[in-house]
Amino acid sequence: MVLARLPESFAVIGDVQWLPGYCVLLTDDPAVGRLTDLPRERRLVYLESVERLSTAVEQACASADPAFRRVNIEILGNTDPYLHTHIFPRYEWEPADIIGGPVWWYPRERWSDPTTVLGPQHDPLRAAIASRLTRTTDVQEDPAPRG
């Protein structure tokens, strides 16, 4: 699931793909629970990695689906205790009662729907995101966490 090692983080594709291209940026330091736990310099580096992943998702999804609309970027941390950022692609084909709101308006069952689990059918989009992500500078090949 790891797409690339970025500064302060790992870019991963989501384990469910009901919004094709869904990705998460995970901190490379599991002791970091909130963005504000990082010193300002490291915080800015992490946020730059968020921007790089969201741009890669936007470009890949826009190329793959003409109904691509935008990306939503969210740092919540209400379930998992470590810093992570959700990158949700949004599409014109989404239900009218959900398209204008947060992804969390979707039924909870979406997160466990076996028909949208990450699989080989997502390889082209995964490769497109990874390719765009690794074209930028400072991407490291080693996906080993520090610590």
Side-chain angles (χ1 to χ4, degrees):
M1 292 173 56
V2 175
L3 299 168
R5 170 76 164 93
L6 297 176
E8 298 290 338
S9 60
F10 296 95
V12 300
I13 191 162
D15 55 356
V16 291
Q17 290 291 304
W18 43 273
L19 291 170
Y22 165 59
C23 289
V24 181
L25 190 71
L26 306 168
T27 182
D28 64 1
D29 182 350
V32 175
R34 295 179 294 275
L35 186 61
T36 55
D37 288 345
L38 291 171
R40 187 169 196 282
E41 184 178 313
R42 289 180 59 202
R43 187 179 321 150
L44 294 175
V45 170
Y46 179 85
L47 289 171
E48 183 177 339
S49 292
V50 170
E51 183 275 330
R52 289 168 61 183
L53 179 56
S54 64
T55 298
V57 169
E58 180 173 327
Q59 292 171 349
C61 292
S63 292
D65 187 338
F68 171 78
R69 187 172 188 204
R70 65 174 54 250
V71 294
N72 290 169
I73 302 167
E74 298 182 333
I75 298 175
L76 301 171
N78 298 325
T79 303
D80 296 315
Y82 51 87
L83 175 63
H84 62 285
T85 305
H86 299 272
I87 311 295
F88 290 107
R90 302 301 300 266
Y91 297 92
E92 294 297 337
W93 46 256
E94 293 181 61
D97 61 332
I98 294 178
I99 197 168
V103 171
W104 312 108
W105 285 0
Y106 275 95
R108 198 165 181 77
E109 297 78 41
R110 287 286 185 138
W111 293 99
S112 57
D113 183 350
T115 64
T116 63
V117 169
L118 181 65
Q121 69 274 26
H122 303 110
D123 285 350
L125 188 54
R126 178 187 176 172
I129 295 168
S131 172
R132 285 168 171 81
L133 196 54
T134 57
R135 282 187 211 157
T136 60
T137 59
D138 297 327
V139 174
Q140 301 171 17
E141 294 296 321
D142 177 17
R146 66 178 181 179

